[in-house]
């Protein structure tokens, strides 16, 4: 069985093609969204999803979230005494999703199509593939999130059309222009911001609250537990303002309470800098695709953050029309990934569609330029420019710089800056050249970039016939094959919290969080509920546990929603 996975910054989902449609698969708690949060419980066992998210506030030292933003880097997160890379934490989420499908369908899962932001770099894409390997999955394809959304909307079944996908999730923003013709779905251009999403809107609300309450004796917001409580409250306020004109931002700590009323108009002012950041990628994508707004047949909204009214209003004003939001924006990417999985498996119920993609970043080399009377190193020569359809091969020529030069070092970079210092270094290769006067020896540098994200650099010296070749398979900070094998074994050895206990563990984690958030009589009441549930769990009577759990869930809903 091959599955489709939306590996998100905030939440992740898994779907399968059942022969007629893409079906989302619920987790052990019966929920379609699995929070992209990983932690260890008090016994050192691994927990993933809702339980881990509940413990972000009560046990921040044992819990990690938002690690997708660090994919492709060597940054580590500490959970207790253990250190985990972003690929490993992502792998644990992927493994949990894989096990959800195996539990429901009763057959092993070994292959997957995983979605990635269209603007993910080469290193981030390789790290996502590695995360799949660590989860025990063969990653058949990485599909760009906007392309997956287009598949879910069934746009591949329409005639000729040009459309734009506006994808604003929890942690990343993508915009892609796609064109349909003759059964081919071609990505014309992609742009985005890998550090712009709903989490940033929450951070803006937290910053506003802290600024307004400055000097009022607030607790230290740098403490992980306080910071998490503020972010959780910001998310609640943001969601509330999507349905009502005003909401109250509240923080309670040590018998004190701080409140700040926030209106939709204030939210617009608070988030204005973030809304401005959404404009530039849209303009770049349209410019690179050489398409005018009037030429677009449809604009699709994807990603949970597009539920915000102010985001929808911005999109409507930019494009002069109401965007399409017929499918659940949280679920559409996973559904599209499942359709791509079925296409990969050549499911007879689906018409074949050819997907083409683009290279999201420019790839080039370092050169020297004459500035005045001096040679200045560190300049960038793009060889493959961003938004070229892949696979692609391009060649450019350079000349030697010094008289009698015997060797040339070709340094390879990824990025858009005119100076290589601001771009990402990918690798280098050296080639010997005959010692001649400066400029007499020419070098042909050819870059070939394929649909799997592999870059091959070849340098030829026409004067001598010499040639050197380098395949950029691993980027700085990406795990080597040996490290993957070692870390796969380490992850397999981790003890996992029993799935059949997740419903009860989730309720206990929620009770612990509410106890920490509450004061006075309410805190005492929540403590009594937790103690009672603990005593019932110890009796191991399933019927009694189930009845009390149902009663407690209703009580906690009433407490949290204020009724």
């Amino acid at each position: 069985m091959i599955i489709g996975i939306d590996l998100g910054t905030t939440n992740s989902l898994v779907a399968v093609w059942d022969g007629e449609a893409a079906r989302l698969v619920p987790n052990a708690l019966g929920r379609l969204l699995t929070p992209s949060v990983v932690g260890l419980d008090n016994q050192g066992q691994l927990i993933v999803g809702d339980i881990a998210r509940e413990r972000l506030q009560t046990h921040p030292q044992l819990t990690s979230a938002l690690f997708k933003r660090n994919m492709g880097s060597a940054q580590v997160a500490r959970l207790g005494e253990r250190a985990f890379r972003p690929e490993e934490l992502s792998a644990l989420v992927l493994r949990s999703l894989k096990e959800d499908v195996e539990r429901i369908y009763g057959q092993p899962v070994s292959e997957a199509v995983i979605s990635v932001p269209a603007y993910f770099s080469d290193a981030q894409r390789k790290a996502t593939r590695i995360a799949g390997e660590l989860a025990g999955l063969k990653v058949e394809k990485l599909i760009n999130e906007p392309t997956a959304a287009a598949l879910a909307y069934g746009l591949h079944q329409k005639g000729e059309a040009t459309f734009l996908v506006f994808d604003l999730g929890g942690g990343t923003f993508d915009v892609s222009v796609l064109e349909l013709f003759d059964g081919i779905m071609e990505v014309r251009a992609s742009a985005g911001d890998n550090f712009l999403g709903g989490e940033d809107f929450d951070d803006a609300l937290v910053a506003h609250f802290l600024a307004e309450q400055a000097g009022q004796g607030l607790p230290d917001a740098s403490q992980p537990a306080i910071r998490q409580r503020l972010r959780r409250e910001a998310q609640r306020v943001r969601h509330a303002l999507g349905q009502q004109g005003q909401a109250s931002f509240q923080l309670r700590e040590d018998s004190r309470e701080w409140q700040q009323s926030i209106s939709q108009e204030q939210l617009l002012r608070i988030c204005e800098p973030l809304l401005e950041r959404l404009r530039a990628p849209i303009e770049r994508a349209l410019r690179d695709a050489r398409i005018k707004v009037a030429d677009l047949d449809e604009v699709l909204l994807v990603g949970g953050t597009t539920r915000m009214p102010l985001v929808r209003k911005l999109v409507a004003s930019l494009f002069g029309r109401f965007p399409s939001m017929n499918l659940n924006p949280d679920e559409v990417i996973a559904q599209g990934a499942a359709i791509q999985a079925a296409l990969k498996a050549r499911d007879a119920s689906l018409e074949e569609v050819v997907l083409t993609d683009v290279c999201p970043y420019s790839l080039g080399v370092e050169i020297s330029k004459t500035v005045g009377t001096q040679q200045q190193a560190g300049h960038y020569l793009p060889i493959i420019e961003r938004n070229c359809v892949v696979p692609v091969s391009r060649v450019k020529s350079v000349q030697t710089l010094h008289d009698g030069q015997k060797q040339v070092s070709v340094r390879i970079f990824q990025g858009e800056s005119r100076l290589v210092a601001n771009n990402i270094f990918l690798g280098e290769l050296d080639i010997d050249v005959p010692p001649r006067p400066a400029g007499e020896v020419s070098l042909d540098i050819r870059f070939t970039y394929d649909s799997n994200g592999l870059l091959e650099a070849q340098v030829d010296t026409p004067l001598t016939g010499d040639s050197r070749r380098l395949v950029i398979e691993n980027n700085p900070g990406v795990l080597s094959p040996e490290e993957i094998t070692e870390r796969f074994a380490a992850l397999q050895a981790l003890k996992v919290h029993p799935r059949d206990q997740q419903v009860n563990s989730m309720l206990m984690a929620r009770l612990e969080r509410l106890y920490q958030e509450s004061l006075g009589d309410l805190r005492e009441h929540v403590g009594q509920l937790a103690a009672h549930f603990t005593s019932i769990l110890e009796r191991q009577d399933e019927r009694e546990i189930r009845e009390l759990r149902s009663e407690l869930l209703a009580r906690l809903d009433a407490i949290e929603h204020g009724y």
Side-chain angles (χ1 to χ4, degrees):
M1 175 181 279
I2 179 171
I3 58 177
I5 293 176
D6 173 9
L7 179 61
T9 306
T10 308
N11 294 294
S12 296
L13 303 92
V14 61
V16 299
W17 179 262
D18 67 0
E20 296 181 359
R23 303 290 181 193
L24 292 159
V25 179
N27 58 28
L29 296 172
R31 300 174 182 178
L32 298 178
L33 294 176
T34 294
S36 300
V37 185
V38 175
L40 300 176
D41 66 13
N42 296 339
Q43 287 72 48
Q45 294 179 322
L46 180 72
I47 50 175
V48 174
D50 292 276
I51 305 173
R53 184 175 63 180
E54 287 290 345
R55 287 168 59 89
L56 265 173
Q57 179 177 312
T58 57
H59 299 78
Q61 75 284 359
L62 293 175
T63 322
S64 181
L66 304 181
F67 37 81
K68 180 179 174 180
R69 285 189 160 181
N70 298 320
M71 289 289 271
S73 75
Q75 187 168 335
V76 297
R78 297 205 70 84
L79 303 183
E81 297 179 356
R82 293 187 174 128
F84 293 86
R85 289 173 58 105
E87 301 98 311
E88 294 176 290
L89 295 170
S90 296
L92 294 170
V93 174
L94 292 172
R95 192 171 81 183
S96 179
L97 297 173
K98 169 180 176 287
E99 290 170 353
D100 288 332
V101 177
E102 291 174 335
R103 174 177 50 85
I104 288 179
Y105 285 86
Q107 55 181 293
V109 173
S110 58
E111 299 171 287
V113 170
I114 302 176
S115 68
V116 291
Y119 210 55
F120 247 24
S121 69
D122 191 47
Q124 290 168 314
R125 290 168 188 268
K126 287 188 173 76
T128 304
R129 281 189 176 276
I130 290 169
E133 287 185 53
L134 293 174
L137 291 166
K138 179 185 178 186
V139 182
E140 286 290 338
K141 183 178 177 65
L142 295 178
I143 184 171
N144 284 347
E145 291 173 1
T147 308
L151 285 175
Y153 268 91
L155 297 182
H156 57 294
Q157 297 169 343
K158 298 185 178 181
E160 293 189 2
T162 303
F163 53 96
L164 181 143
V165 180
F166 180 102
D167 180 6
L168 184 62
T172 58
F173 171 54
D174 276 327
V175 55
S176 289
V177 179
L178 297 93
E179 189 171 18
L180 283 169
F181 57 92
D182 297 332
I184 298 173
M185 184 183 290
E186 179 179 290
V187 179
R188 292 284 301 275
S190 289
D193 190 328
N194 287 336
F195 293 90
L196 178 58
E199 303 288 346
D200 301 283
F201 287 84
D202 294 338
D203 286 343
L205 276 169
V206 169
H208 172 76
F209 176 77
L210 293 176
E212 291 294 310
Q213 297 291 329
Q216 301 301 313
L218 280 169
D220 183 4
S222 66
Q223 294 178 26
I226 298 296
R227 187 73 186 175
Q228 181 55 34
R229 201 180 306 172
L230 287 166
R231 298 190 87 260
R232 190 183 184 100
E233 179 66 3
Q235 187 179 65
R236 186 195 65 79
V237 169
R238 178 164 61 88
H239 291 170
L241 287 173
Q243 300 175 357
Q244 56 199 53
Q246 195 157 313
S248 179
F249 195 122
Q250 301 175 345
L251 176 67
R252 298 184 185 93
E253 175 74 5
D254 293 337
S255 73
R256 289 197 61 184
E257 184 175 326
W258 297 263
Q259 285 194 27
Q260 181 70 39
S261 181
I262 298 175
S263 66
Q264 286 190 358
E265 292 73 19
Q266 285 176 304
L267 181 66
L268 178 61
R269 288 196 297 272
I270 292 166
C271 297
E272 187 62 36
L274 297 173
L275 295 174
E276 280 301 312
R277 283 172 60 187
L278 293 172
R279 295 174 184 269
I282 294 171
E283 293 168 356
R284 174 188 276 189
L286 290 170
R287 187 169 57 247
D288 286 357
R290 298 181 178 86
I291 285 176
K292 298 177 182 177
V293 169
D295 297 330
L296 294 171
D297 296 300
E298 199 163 3
V299 177
L300 306 182
L301 287 190
V302 178
T305 308
T306 59
R307 295 179 188 277
M308 294 178 68
L310 54 84
V311 172
R312 295 190 203 179
K313 287 177 184 176
L314 172 69
V315 175
S317 66
L318 287 174
F319 295 102
R321 74 185 81 180
F322 290 110
S324 297
M325 204 173 179
N326 303 327
L327 299 179
N328 187 319
D330 288 310
E331 301 172 359
V332 63
I333 292 171
Q335 291 171 330
I339 293 171
Q340 176 60 53
L343 288 168
K344 272 282 181 185
R346 299 191 179 278
D347 190 289
S349 62
L350 284 170
E351 290 184 22
E352 188 61 43
V353 58
V354 177
L355 301 178
T356 71
D357 221 325
V358 294
C359 180
Y361 292 88
S362 297
L363 299 162
V365 296
E366 179 182 7
I367 59 170
S368 293
K369 285 188 175 181
T370 302
V371 180
T373 59
Q374 293 184 334
Q375 291 287 342
Q376 192 177 85
H379 288 265
Y380 187 48
L381 174 67
I383 294 178
I384 294 176
E385 294 200 288
R386 70 172 186 267
N387 288 320
C388 284
V389 176
V390 294
V392 59
S393 187
R394 295 282 189 273
V395 63
K396 288 194 176 180
S397 296
V398 297
Q399 290 76 40
T400 51
L401 190 61
H402 306 292
D403 292 336
Q405 190 170 341
K406 295 181 180 180
Q407 191 179 68
V408 174
S409 180
V410 178
R411 303 183 73 227
I412 302 164
F413 290 84
Q414 164 190 294
E416 310 303 330
S417 176
R418 67 184 184 87
L419 300 177
V420 296
N422 300 321
N423 293 329
I424 299 171
F425 174 72
L426 297 180
E428 66 180 306
L429 55 84
D430 298 325
I431 187 166
D432 294 332
V433 294
R436 298 286 179 88
E440 277 197 13
V441 181
S442 179
L443 296 164
D444 292 336
I445 303 175
R446 177 175 292 279
F447 279 7
T448 303
Y449 189 81
D450 71 12
S451 56
N452 291 316
L454 292 181
L455 172 64
E456 178 186 281
Q458 182 172 319
V459 182
D460 298 318
T461 310
L463 191 64
T464 64
D466 288 345
S467 181
R468 287 293 308 280
R469 176 176 167 272
L470 175 67
V471 177
I472 308 290
E473 292 186 273
N474 290 313
N475 305 71
V478 174
L479 292 172
S480 68
E482 294 76 20
E483 289 174 314
I484 293 172
T485 302
E486 179 185 329
R487 289 174 185 266
F488 177 79
L491 291 183
Q492 291 296 104
L494 275 176
K495 289 185 178 180
V496 180
H497 187 87
R499 299 183 79 80
D500 58 359
Q501 295 178 17
Q502 285 198 20
V503 178
N504 296 331
S505 300
M506 172 65 184
L507 181 52
M508 281 304 305
R510 190 176 174 190
L511 284 163
E512 286 181 19
R513 174 180 59 78
L514 277 173
Y515 180 83
Q516 189 178 97
E517 289 179 353
S518 304
L519 295 171
D521 292 341
L522 179 58
R523 169 177 274 194
E524 185 177 347
H525 177 59
V526 172
Q528 289 171 349
L529 294 178
H532 183 38
F533 189 51
T534 301
S535 67
I536 295 299
L537 287 175
E538 290 172 355
R539 295 185 195 174
Q540 300 182 34
D541 184 322
E542 283 301 319
R543 183 188 59 78
E544 201 174 11
I545 292 171
R546 188 168 57 250
E547 289 176 357
L548 180 58
R549 185 172 64 226
S550 178
E551 180 186 332
L552 288 178
L553 286 172
R555 285 201 198 183
L556 296 187
D557 286 342
I559 290 171
E560 291 201 280
H561 295 101
Y563 55 81

